[in-house]
Amino acid sequence: MEITSLIALIMKEIMKEILLTIVVIITIFTACVQEEESVIANQKDGLMNVMIKIPGEDQIYMATKAGPYEDGETIYVKIPTLEEDPLDVTELKPTVSVQNNCFVIPALPNMVDFTEPYKITVVNAFGEQKTNYIEVVPTPMRTVFKSLWFKSAQELGIVNSNISGMSVTKDYLIVRNGDEGIRIFDRNNVSYVKTLKAPYPTLNMSVNTDAGGNVIVNRYNMWGAGFRVFLYRDIKNLPDGALGEEILEYTPSGLVLGTKMTVTGNLSTGKAYIYATAENDKNIYYWEFNDGVVKSKIPNVISYDNAGTNWTTALVKRKNIDDNSDLYVSYMHYDGGDSGTQAKGSRFEILSTNDQIPMQMEKNNHEYKILGFETFEINNEEFLVMTTQAFWAWDGTFTRIFDITNREKIELKPGETGYEDFFLMGSAIYGGVNYNRWGDVSVYVDNYDAYIYVSVAAMEPDKAGVFAYRMIYTPQ
């Protein structure tokens, strides 16, 4: 009797274990099925966006509306056209984005004639077909962008392809060339003109130009060498190999000052300002000049607390020489462990004398690193150009151009109402390995045309160099 009871008890426990295992298996299987169904459900819409490029151009034009799209819906892509240079719709390069496990049939051609709307069919993860029509709309635009050229460091004769400084004047393109000094090129045809020597070439960093067309080069304060600024006046008549005139020297203890520097005004006559920042700091240092003479070698210092902790690098530009001028500030908190969330990175802000707190650009408008920027005005409208790079040193670099006339728009996120009037141009990916996080933007404005130059620092001489764009502005 005792043996029978013991066997029954054992069998009861075995059955409980079997039933428990079955329940667990069913639960896991159900969860997996639900998860799989959820994943596949997210692959039902198929087509998610349409992008079109003009052959030979850098800019990508997005559809006026992002997906998902209804079956049979027409997708419109507005592309700028000019009266003197009408858009050729017969040969445009489309790309599309689709959800996982979805595909286009037949495959999208490399070039498409958009004289008539183009029919595109996408098969989703369920095997269902959805058909849409892509229509290109030539549109007279307020701003039209043209890619002019790219000159590599090799073509420019730049020995050190990690270009730390570049600027332009009405007549010249000026590029830092490592220990050689600075190379001067004709801005229009990019022909070589001359080389100007730079004192202490190893520690030279920024290349700037002022409102008078003068060239300014600085040395940064590494190993106590001092933050020194050199001015080259009337570069047209300077002989080959000429040295600049030292106009400022400041040697702060333990501060790597001068890795970034900007100039506002004319350093030969009238009022002008030099702004500089240091690595691992959060102060802005600036000096005022009158008729080329610094008022004090001891800088004015602004503690930029909005940055929070010390930045990795920062760039500050003064809008004009007015006492109540705005400041444009970009700073970067680079953290090698931030590749996942990318919560840190760069920020771009505008500090107005009327505001206690700067306005900050929505960070989704640029990549993790803002390498350089410039602002300019046409017809009382203000524009911002950025060169930005994603997280890793070998990640892609991009040029972004925005209309910041209405300052509140810098807080817009992609896709929000009014964004198409704020974000004007985004380049294709370019660049190479850039450990130094260098890059410059310089702009020359000629009436309603803006000529935009972007330097690319890279370890690879064929990928480093200078891009040139033209922005054609049409008053509305």
Side-chain angles (χ1 to χ4, degrees):
M1 186 69 178
E2 291 180 1
I3 293 175
T4 304
S5 300
L6 180 59
I7 292 173
L9 182 61
I10 291 172
M11 291 300 296
K12 183 178 179 181
E13 290 299 319
I14 291 173
M15 290 301 295
K16 284 173 62 179
E17 291 294 327
I18 292 173
L19 288 172
L20 181 60
T21 301
I22 292 171
V23 169
V24 170
I25 291 171
I26 292 172
T27 303
I28 293 173
F29 177 76
T30 304
C32 291
V33 169
Q34 290 174 344
E35 182 177 352
E36 183 178 350
E37 288 178 350
S38 175
V39 169
I40 295 177
N42 289 331
Q43 300 169 3
K44 184 177 182 179
D45 293 316
L47 184 62
M48 297 305 293
N49 216 328
V50 174
M51 297 140 280
I52 295 179
K53 283 185 65 177
I54 301 172
E57 294 288 336
D58 205 23
Q59 185 171 358
I60 298 170
Y61 299 95
M62 309 289 291
T64 57
K65 171 191 169 186
Y69 304 103
E70 297 294 329
D71 188 28
E73 182 178 352
T74 298
I75 302 162
Y76 298 96
V77 181
K78 292 183 178 180
I79 301 181
T81 187
L82 295 171
E83 185 176 345
E84 66 272 21
D85 185 19
L87 174 69
D88 180 7
V89 300
T90 63
E91 193 176 38
L92 298 173
K93 183 178 178 61
T95 56
V96 298
S97 62
V98 298
Q99 294 172 322
N100 288 339
N101 297 318
C102 303
F103 57 93
V104 179
I105 57 166
L108 202 63
N110 184 50
M111 293 292 177
V112 170
D113 181 352
F114 284 98
T115 303
E116 299 294 334
Y118 179 79
K119 179 181 177 181
I120 182 171
T121 301
V122 175
V123 180
N124 67 17
F126 293 91
E128 301 167 339
Q129 294 187 11
K130 292 177 68 175
T131 298
N132 294 102
Y133 300 87
I134 304 171
E135 183 173 340
V136 169
V137 184
T139 307
M141 305 289 279
R142 185 169 56 100
T143 56
V144 176
F145 296 89
K146 298 288 184 180
S147 297
L148 299 180
W149 46 258
F150 169 72
K151 297 294 183 182
S152 70
Q154 288 176 328
E155 294 173 290
L156 295 172
I158 301 299
V159 177
N160 185 349
S161 60
N162 287 297
I163 301 169
S164 68
M166 181 279 303
S167 192
V168 297
T169 67
K170 177 183 177 182
D171 298 314
Y172 300 110
L173 164 69
I174 305 104
V175 184
R176 178 177 181 258
N177 188 25
D179 290 350
E180 181 189 60
I182 51 176
R183 285 203 151 205
I184 312 297
F185 302 88
D186 184 287
R187 187 182 63 82
N188 294 300
N189 59 29
V190 209
S191 61
Y192 172 75
V193 176
K194 68 180 82 173
T195 294
L196 301 178
K197 295 295 183 181
Y200 318 104
T202 303
L203 299 181
N204 285 334
M205 288 298 294
S206 299
V207 174
N208 286 266
T209 52
D210 67 12
N214 301 304
V215 176
I216 304 95
V217 175
N218 81 282
R219 184 183 80 171
Y220 68 105
N221 183 44
M222 177 64 80
W223 306 305
F227 171 62
R228 296 173 182 265
V229 180
F230 304 92
L231 176 66
Y232 299 78
R233 307 174 194 265
D234 189 19
I235 59 173
K236 179 179 180 179
N237 294 312
L238 284 177
D240 191 78
L243 286 169
E245 164 197 355
E246 185 172 312
I247 60 171
L248 177 63
E249 185 277 327
Y250 175 65
T251 309
S253 177
L255 192 66
V256 185
L257 178 64
T259 50
K260 299 283 187 180
M261 184 192 80
T262 61
V263 178
T264 303
N266 186 340
L267 282 167
S268 288
T269 181
K271 186 187 290 187
Y273 292 90
I274 287 178
Y275 278 71
T277 55
E279 296 178 357
N280 193 31
D281 194 30
K282 62 174 181 177
N283 290 326
I284 299 169
Y285 304 85
Y286 73 96
W287 294 260
E288 182 180 338
F289 287 74
N290 282 299
D291 295 329
V293 179
V294 65
K295 290 184 68 173
S296 171
K297 291 185 177 181
I298 305 302
N300 302 283
V301 181
I302 301 171
S303 177
Y304 200 73
D305 296 329
N306 206 59
T309 58
N310 288 356
W311 51 53
T312 307
T313 60
L315 177 65
V316 179
K317 295 195 176 188
R318 186 185 183 102
K319 180 179 180 180
N320 52 48
I321 61 173
D322 295 345
D323 291 339
N324 61 347
S325 172
D326 293 345
L327 289 182
Y328 306 101
V329 181
S330 75
Y331 54 86
M332 180 194 309
H333 291 111
Y334 187 84
D335 183 345
D338 197 23
S339 62
T341 62
Q342 299 196 10
K344 297 181 181 179
S346 293
R347 299 294 184 271
F348 176 83
E349 298 178 347
I350 302 176
L351 177 60
S352 171
T353 53
N354 299 323
D355 299 322
Q356 296 292 325
I357 300 175
M359 294 190 67
Q360 185 178 100
M361 175 180 273
E362 162 59 42
K363 68 176 185 177
N364 289 319
N365 287 313
H366 54 77
E367 279 65 42
Y368 191 85
K369 295 174 286 189
I370 298 175
L371 306 177
F373 70 85
E374 181 63 281
T375 63
F376 64 95
E377 291 186 358
I378 296 179
N379 197 34
N380 295 318
E381 297 185 49
E382 191 172 16
F383 303 91
L384 167 69
V385 186
M386 286 181 172
T387 174
T388 73
Q389 186 183 29
F391 182 83
W392 299 108
W394 49 87
D395 278 341
T397 306
F398 303 86
T399 298
R400 309 277 190 220
I401 303 179
F402 304 89
D403 180 344
I404 60 170
T405 307
N406 180 349
R407 296 290 176 77
E408 293 181 357
K409 286 191 175 181
I410 72 171
E411 298 175 344
L412 287 176
K413 295 179 180 180
E416 291 185 338
T417 302
Y419 191 79
E420 66 277 7
D421 297 321
F422 165 60
F423 176 60
L424 303 180
M425 181 265 197
S427 75
I429 188 171
Y430 58 83
V433 180
N434 181 4
Y435 284 105
N436 295 310
R437 311 179 193 110
W438 289 339
D440 280 307
V441 179
S442 190
V443 181
Y444 173 70
V445 176
D446 182 12
N447 197 17
Y448 287 145
D449 287 350
Y451 294 90
I452 299 164
Y453 301 83
V454 180
S455 67
V456 185
M459 295 180 66
E460 308 92 330
D462 61 324
K463 294 182 179 179
V466 179
F467 279 97
Y469 305 93
R470 178 187 174 201
M471 185 184 96
I472 306 165
Y473 174 92
T474 302
Q476 301 292 296

